[in-house]
Amino acid sequence: MSTPEYYRQKSADSIPTEDHITAINQMFTELQLAFHNQFHKAFSDDQKIIMAKQLWAKTLSDLPPARIAQATRRAIKESDYLPTLHTIRKFSEPVPAELGLPDAYHAYLEACRAATPKSEQRWSHPAVYLAGNASDWFFLASSVESRAFPVFKRNYDIVCERVMRGEQLDLPMQKAIPETVSHPLSNEERKERMQTLRQELDI
């Protein structure tokens, strides 16, 4: 799984671009409309708005401008209060679905229904396999859902956190099938080998 753009850009040196400035201006316009009273209480005059825009542009410049816009919309939809810088950064993080992660219950069903050997199945995301493996396949198969799902969900949430931090997950490598399969030699074969060795060594 490749590293998401969000994390690639976050690690780079960050200087606000014209697109960042445009995104910040648009953000403040939308926040003013959505949180009118709270906005004017926090930014009571034009000078405070200008200073806040400069701070926010500098602080959020490691994010893609499109991600800033998405974070603004999420804040407006999901928050009752005017978002802080910290809140905007939280809303800027990709949601699990953006990274190809199914929700916990569908991941649980996928893990329970997977055939054996598990590592050879086509998983919607490596996180599902890793969570199933951490939960113990036999436990998932032999336990009722009310007991097994909470265990799986806990492990799945842990693995998803790793993905959200930008970690790349890989399924275990399949062991190659040897071209020849060794087996113990019979007494007759051992005698023939020993005789051949003696002839080669002239003993």
Side-chain angles (χ1 to χ4, degrees):
M1 178 180 172
S2 61
T3 304
E5 177 189 355
Y6 167 74
Y7 295 103
R8 291 201 301 271
Q9 181 151 350
K10 190 173 181 179
S11 63
D13 293 335
S14 303
I15 299 174
T17 65
E18 288 297 324
D19 288 340
H20 284 102
I21 294 172
T22 298
I24 294 297
N25 285 333
Q26 182 64 28
M27 171 196 288
F28 272 70
T29 298
E30 294 182 12
L31 293 180
Q32 182 177 7
L33 292 172
F35 302 96
H36 185 270
N37 292 336
Q38 296 178 40
F39 183 92
H40 286 287
K41 185 175 181 179
F43 310 112
S44 55
D45 55 55
D46 291 343
Q47 185 61 31
K48 287 186 177 180
I49 293 177
I50 292 172
M51 293 176 64
K53 286 182 177 181
Q54 292 172 343
L55 174 62
W56 287 45
K58 181 178 180 181
T59 306
L60 300 176
S61 61
D62 59 326
L63 302 176
R67 182 67 66 179
I68 295 174
Q70 292 173 8
T72 304
R73 309 288 162 67
R74 283 191 62 192
I76 291 172
K77 289 180 180 179
E78 301 177 26
S79 178
D80 293 328
Y81 303 99
L82 180 70
T84 62
L85 263 172
H86 176 72
T87 306
I88 288 295
R89 293 201 70 87
K90 290 294 293 182
F91 280 126
S92 75
E93 295 175 357
V95 296
E98 290 182 66
L99 302 179
L101 292 162
D103 65 76
Y105 186 67
H106 283 90
Y108 166 75
L109 293 179
E110 181 181 350
C112 290
R113 294 169 179 171
T116 301
K118 308 294 186 182
S119 59
E120 295 182 5
Q121 304 310 307
R122 292 177 60 87
W123 296 95
S124 60
H125 194 284
V128 181
Y129 168 83
L130 294 176
N133 196 49
S135 303
D136 186 81
W137 298 112
F138 179 77
F139 170 76
L140 294 180
S142 60
S143 302
V144 296
E145 182 178 300
S146 60
R147 184 182 176 207
F149 176 62
V151 174
F152 176 87
K153 185 178 185 303
R154 180 190 63 211
N155 290 318
Y156 186 64
D157 288 344
I158 292 172
V159 178
C160 286
E161 278 295 320
R162 293 164 55 190
V163 177
M164 299 291 285
R165 291 196 301 267
E167 182 178 341
Q168 178 174 327
L169 304 181
D170 296 305
L171 292 173
M173 294 290 293
Q174 298 300 312
K175 294 181 179 180
I177 299 176
E179 295 182 3
T180 58
V181 179
S182 61
H183 59 276
L185 298 176
S186 65
N187 290 335
E188 189 64 30
E189 289 173 326
R190 282 199 295 270
K191 290 179 181 179
E192 291 179 0
R193 290 278 184 93
M194 185 61 70
Q195 182 64 31
T196 300
L197 181 60
R198 286 173 175 172
Q199 290 175 353
E200 291 175 350
L201 298 177
D202 194 23
I203 57 176

